[in-house]
Amino acid sequence: MSKPNEKNRPLTKLKSRSTSIYAGLPLTTTNAIRLIEVQPARSKYDVLMCDILVSSLKNPPPYQALSYSWDGQDKTREILCNGQKMLVTENCFAALRRLRRSAHKRLVWIDAICIDQSSTSERSHQVRVMGEIYGKASQVIVWLGEQTKESQEAFKSIEDFASRLDSGLLPSDVRLWLTKRNFDSIIGKVEKGIRRGQTPEADVSMAALLDLHFKDVLTRSWWSRVWTIQEVAFSEDCVLLCGSKILPWQTFCRVLFRLAEMDNRKGQTVMPIHWNARNAIRASQGEEHVDGNGNDGNRHNILEAFSEIIGRVTLRPGRKTKAADPVSEDFKKFMTEENVRSFDLYPILRRARASDASDPKDKVYALHSIFRQLGGQFPPPDYEHSIVRIYEEVTKGVIEHDKSLALLEQVYTSNNDKGLPSWVPDWSDTKVRDFPQALRRFEASGRSSSRFEFSKRITSKSHSLVVHGVVVDKVEFVGPPMEKGHGIESTETNGIDVAMIVRKWEQMADRLHYKDGQRFHQYLPTRESLEQAFRRTLLEDQDMAELRKGLDTWSAAYLAGLRPDANGSRPRLGQGQQDHAVRPTRADLPTRSASLAPLLSSHRLSLESTSPSISPSPTIKFSRKLVARFAGYRFFTTVKGYMGIAAATTQIGDEVVLISGFRFPMVVHDGRVHKRLRSTAYVHGVMYGEMWPSDERELKEMAFA
């Protein structure tokens, strides 16, 4: 860690006691900031003492800026600032103690101390210059928390691999290299699995090894903070500090990106640079993510976000790039001034949505400096404003900057929407489903361009979003929603709940065989079998081998069901060798239409058959996929015979609309006074522009409040 060169610069130090530590240190200019001078101590148990100083960002002395997680902790630890007692959180206290030198002072910027957190006006002002604060720091120190045996080993491995990269002497078998370093952990997991009756896998995947080896470091709470994105993005020099161990940020990213790309058997890259969410850095509690390999999790891939967002900021016009910048060479070549300024802001807002903030206003304010750097025009942060106003301003600003309605895919109207306009996502909700890239191929509105404006014609309190589109149909029937509590991991429900809900959805689909007193053998909108249409709807028309395999295996178990044991209780999926697809009696499951009997299974298992039990793993995986993909959503059918899936708030009578320039259909509530967006939808037979008019003069103006 570099040591600041502490030259004499203009600083204001509080010399007299005051009832408030900040009273004698006002920030009187727009460029004024406070810094703290951490006093040296011989013992880590000595009282933490520091002096608060005022400086100018125009010409600051060399200082280091701390990036750390508040963790929602109460302020319980005592330090002395300018001779007065101040309470800080446990994590802040631990970081200060590690930063304190034994013989020299250290000049540091720490938000919890350098900003008067009780003053909303001061917080608002300091947030406006936060990017500059981290950008002008001689070094940004990322505090991950105290070290463990696992974190120490992870840091050693990164340093070892980095030196091998520099020397060109990579291990001939990276998988074996990682396996040796994880030997004790792997053996422990195998022994634990055997005790549960599980058969150990012969081959430990590269992804599993990476997950196992770096899990302790990559699941620290720092990764989940929305503020950390800009704190690292604007830094000129950044290091990770875990206990007493220090690692350059560029080295960390370089090694993990390289490991994530490697296939030691073929010497080729088999994964994209971002790595998948389970096997990389799962940062947020919010995103219900399931990858193509059946891995599930609730954490956001923060390295993917960093590689995208940091690349845009670190390679911005006017900044000299460094060889160690943690982005690819191809990306650097692409980062011309014109390209930087043409970058959309929505992908950044989308990436950051799954991250955490103690104050919901910070979900957008933490990105203010990044947006401004990339040409976004937004009102300055003001914590006095309501959450409705703040979220509306940023949503409107991003749509106008990007000249795109793509952001509407984040709309999900819950039963408690905070009074937000229906076109404004609740950015504080980290649990809203994010759409995988595979679903962004849809073109429900053809290749039309976005046409929109903002108006206050409906209400003067907030803007309405005015678009052009067409009403496709109306919702006729709705099925039960897939609740977020359903699934294998739930302590309240059994895995069979997922199958029961899908069974009811299937029964609704079966009704589409009958229309106006006639029986049809096809799904009329696409002229394919109803079975195939329902299957494609469950998969959202993703033709991925893993998804198809998972559906086949899951459906076989689904047809077989779960049979109560001798004691009358149902086994829970995921219990070792008991994790079989045991069969219920006919009374256990609703009557099934013969026409949809082959729907979910190529195995065609009957309830009375004695075919061998099915491997539980794909069954569990696909059940988790369904919950992760459709939690908070429900199946519906329309008056004209379409089937689809949309938010659980979808009601009978809602409209299905297509909007110019937006790739998904939307479910809309048509009230007496105005329309309100509910959510995006998958509507089978509409997703590829089939219902988009060839003559756009047929489009109607729609205003969403």
Side-chain angles (χ1 to χ4, degrees):
M1 191 183 304
S2 64
K3 175 182 174 182
N5 181 19
E6 297 177 335
K7 298 179 180 179
N8 293 325
R9 300 288 183 95
L11 295 172
T12 303
K13 182 184 293 189
L14 182 64
K15 296 182 179 179
S16 61
R17 270 185 174 269
S18 170
T19 55
S20 168
I21 291 177
Y22 303 103
L25 290 164
L27 302 178
T28 56
T29 66
T30 57
N31 289 307
I33 62 168
R34 297 188 189 93
L35 300 169
I36 65 168
E37 212 173 47
V38 183
Q39 302 300 317
R42 294 290 182 184
S43 170
K44 71 175 184 178
Y45 300 107
D46 288 349
V47 175
L48 269 167
M49 301 176 64
C50 60
D51 291 324
I52 302 179
L53 320 166
V54 174
S55 181
S56 171
L57 272 175
K58 287 185 177 180
N59 187 30
Y63 67 92
Q64 295 165 305
L66 182 69
S67 176
Y68 72 109
S69 173
W70 284 40
D71 291 342
Q73 298 174 345
D74 293 330
K75 296 180 179 181
T76 58
R77 298 304 298 263
E78 189 176 282
I79 65 173
L80 287 179
C81 283
N82 295 93
Q84 297 187 55
K85 293 180 181 179
M86 173 184 278
L87 294 178
V88 297
T89 65
E90 180 66 39
N91 201 34
C92 180
F93 182 84
L96 280 170
R97 194 159 61 179
R98 286 291 184 181
L99 291 175
R100 181 171 58 180
R101 297 190 176 110
S102 60
H104 302 282
K105 299 176 182 178
R106 186 192 293 272
L107 200 58
V108 184
W109 186 90
I110 301 178
D111 57 356
I113 300 175
C114 296
I115 300 175
D116 183 357
Q117 300 294 329
S118 66
S119 170
T120 54
S121 62
E122 183 169 309
R123 287 171 61 204
S124 300
H125 167 262
Q126 291 288 280
V127 165
R128 297 170 198 172
V129 296
M130 198 72 78
E132 193 174 358
I133 290 173
Y134 280 91
K136 290 200 171 182
S138 60
Q139 187 177 67
V140 172
I141 301 171
V142 172
W143 169 246
L144 295 178
E146 293 296 348
Q147 64 201 37
T148 62
K149 178 182 177 182
E150 291 75 17
S151 69
Q152 287 179 295
E153 182 58 38
F155 272 43
K156 287 179 183 177
S157 296
I158 291 172
E159 291 169 343
D160 179 24
F161 199 83
S163 65
R164 291 171 181 267
L165 280 174
D166 293 336
S167 63
L169 300 175
L170 291 176
S172 57
D173 190 328
V174 177
R175 193 187 305 271
L176 179 60
W177 177 77
L178 276 170
T179 300
K180 289 179 178 179
R181 287 182 170 272
N182 288 274
F183 184 77
D184 291 340
S185 297
I186 292 173
I187 293 299
K189 284 182 175 290
V190 169
E191 290 177 344
K192 189 175 182 180
I194 291 174
R195 288 196 297 270
R196 291 180 175 179
Q198 298 171 345
T199 302
E201 296 182 12
D203 184 28
V204 182
S205 70
M206 182 75 163
L209 285 168
L210 292 169
D211 187 33
L212 182 64
H213 195 61
F214 299 108
K215 183 177 181 180
D216 180 86
V217 172
L218 300 180
T219 55
R220 301 287 179 115
S221 59
W222 181 86
W223 299 102
S224 69
R225 285 187 64 228
V226 67
W227 283 106
T228 60
I229 298 173
Q230 75 163 6
E231 291 167 2
V232 173
F234 283 97
S235 66
E236 294 294 330
D237 179 29
C238 182
V239 296
L240 297 172
L241 179 63
C242 189
S244 61
K245 302 299 180 183
I246 302 167
L247 190 67
W249 170 261
Q250 287 86 357
T251 300
F252 177 83
C253 289
R254 180 188 176 204
V255 168
L256 264 67
F257 285 152
R258 187 70 182 95
L259 286 172
E261 290 179 307
M262 294 186 69
D263 177 7
N264 67 298
R265 292 166 295 182
K266 298 179 181 179
Q268 299 174 347
T269 59
V270 293
M271 294 182 241
I273 194 169
H274 56 261
W275 204 355
N276 69 54
R278 175 171 173 79
N279 305 319
I281 299 167
R282 304 162 164 212
S284 172
Q285 302 177 34
E287 182 179 9
E288 294 283 345
H289 180 92
V290 177
D291 65 31
N293 296 317
N295 299 318
D296 63 300
N298 292 333
R299 294 170 185 160
H300 181 58
N301 188 336
I302 203 73
L303 262 189
E304 183 176 358
F306 278 175
S307 66
E308 179 177 327
I309 300 172
I310 293 176
R312 300 181 184 198
V313 179
T314 57
L315 302 180
R316 62 191 180 273
R319 179 186 183 273
K320 186 177 180 181
T321 60
K322 301 177 182 180
D325 280 333
V327 289
S328 70
E329 290 301 319
D330 289 340
F331 195 61
K332 289 179 182 179
K333 293 175 183 177
F334 179 72
M335 295 294 295
T336 63
E337 183 171 342
E338 181 180 353
N339 285 336
V340 169
R341 290 179 177 170
S342 67
F343 274 153
D344 290 344
L345 301 182
Y346 163 57
I348 297 175
L349 195 56
R350 178 177 66 86
R351 293 273 187 216
R353 186 174 189 180
S355 298
D356 296 329
S358 54
D359 186 336
K361 297 176 183 180
D362 288 337
K363 290 303 292 285
V364 295
Y365 283 167
L367 303 173
H368 176 78
S369 294
I370 291 177
F371 286 165
R372 188 178 61 181
Q373 185 69 54
L374 297 176
Q377 300 296 320
F378 300 93
D382 189 340
Y383 284 94
E384 296 287 351
H385 291 168
S386 68
I387 196 74
V388 172
R389 177 174 175 178
I390 293 169
Y391 283 9
E392 180 181 332
E393 286 176 346
V394 74
T395 303
K396 178 175 177 288
V398 169
I399 290 175
E400 290 176 331
H401 175 274
D402 295 353
K403 297 180 176 59
S404 168
L405 293 171
L407 177 149
L408 294 183
E409 69 184 30
Q410 295 289 319
V411 167
Y412 178 94
T413 305
S414 64
N415 292 319
N416 179 21
D417 59 5
K418 295 183 173 65
L420 293 164
S422 66
W423 53 273
V424 176
D426 179 1
W427 298 112
S428 67
D429 186 356
T430 60
K431 298 185 181 297
V432 172
R433 175 193 177 195
D434 191 20
F435 289 85
Q437 190 63 36
L439 297 185
R440 293 195 169 89
R441 73 187 188 282
F442 295 135
E443 293 182 341
S445 61
R447 299 197 175 184
S448 58
S449 58
S450 296
R451 298 167 57 188
F452 61 87
E453 63 181 43
F454 294 95
S455 168
K456 289 195 174 182
R457 68 178 71 171
I458 297 177
T459 172
S460 59
K461 292 183 178 180
S462 60
H463 288 89
S464 297
L465 174 63
V466 182
V467 300
H468 293 79
V470 60
V471 177
V472 174
D473 207 345
K474 283 194 174 183
V475 175
E476 186 175 29
F477 298 106
V478 295
M482 185 79 74
E483 302 291 350
K484 295 186 179 182
H486 290 145
I488 307 306
E489 302 296 342
S490 173
T491 58
E492 300 175 358
T493 59
N494 195 283
I496 197 172
D497 290 351
V498 178
M500 297 296 283
I501 289 172
V502 176
R503 168 86 45 126
K504 292 176 181 177
W505 291 2
E506 175 200 354
Q507 290 172 336
M508 287 178 58
D510 190 40
R511 295 177 191 169
L512 297 177
H513 275 302
Y514 303 91
K515 193 70 178 175
D516 299 327
Q518 300 183 59
R519 176 178 172 80
F520 299 91
H521 297 285
Q522 292 179 318
Y523 178 65
L524 294 181
T526 59
R527 300 296 177 181
E528 64 187 319
S529 71
L530 193 61
E531 295 80 12
Q532 181 68 8
F534 185 70
R535 180 188 183 91
R536 289 173 67 184
T537 300
L538 275 187
L539 296 177
E540 293 176 300
D541 210 24
Q542 292 189 72
D543 190 29
M544 296 172 61
E546 285 291 337
L547 284 176
R548 292 198 310 273
K549 179 181 177 182
L551 177 57
D552 287 340
T553 312
W554 178 84
S555 59
Y558 159 60
L559 285 174
L562 293 171
R563 181 182 61 210
D565 61 18
N567 298 321
S569 62
R570 298 183 187 276
R572 188 181 303 278
L573 289 178
Q575 294 180 337
Q577 291 185 336
Q578 299 301 317
D579 192 13
H580 295 170
V582 291
R583 296 165 178 75
T585 64
R586 288 188 181 275
D588 291 319
L589 296 174
T591 303
R592 180 182 179 79
S593 168
S595 65
L596 287 181
L599 166 65
L600 293 173
S601 176
S602 59
H603 303 287
R604 300 295 301 274
L605 296 179
S606 69
L607 292 174
E608 289 81 9
S609 72
T610 56
S611 55
S613 60
I614 299 166
S615 172
S617 181
T619 306
I620 292 176
K621 287 179 180 179
F622 194 76
S623 189
R624 287 173 174 167
K625 285 177 186 293
L626 286 176
V627 175
R629 291 162 73 89
F630 298 131
Y633 284 74
R634 74 187 336 157
F635 184 82
F636 67 88
T637 57
T638 70
V639 173
K640 294 180 182 178
Y642 288 95
M643 68 174 73
I645 295 176
T649 51
T650 300
Q651 300 294 325
I652 294 172
D654 284 349
E655 295 177 338
V656 177
V657 305
L658 303 180
I659 298 172
S660 182
F662 186 61
R663 65 180 70 245
F664 298 98
M666 296 287 288
V667 171
V668 174
H669 173 66
D670 188 9
R672 294 182 179 179
V673 180
H674 49 70
K675 294 178 182 287
R676 290 184 62 83
L677 295 174
R678 291 219 194 263
S679 77
T680 55
Y682 176 89
V683 183
H684 194 63
V686 172
M687 304 306 294
Y688 301 100
E690 299 93 330
M691 294 300 293
W692 188 250
S694 57
D695 186 351
E696 294 199 358
R697 287 177 295 183
E698 298 178 27
L699 302 182
K700 304 295 183 183
E701 186 179 275
M702 303 177 185
F704 299 118

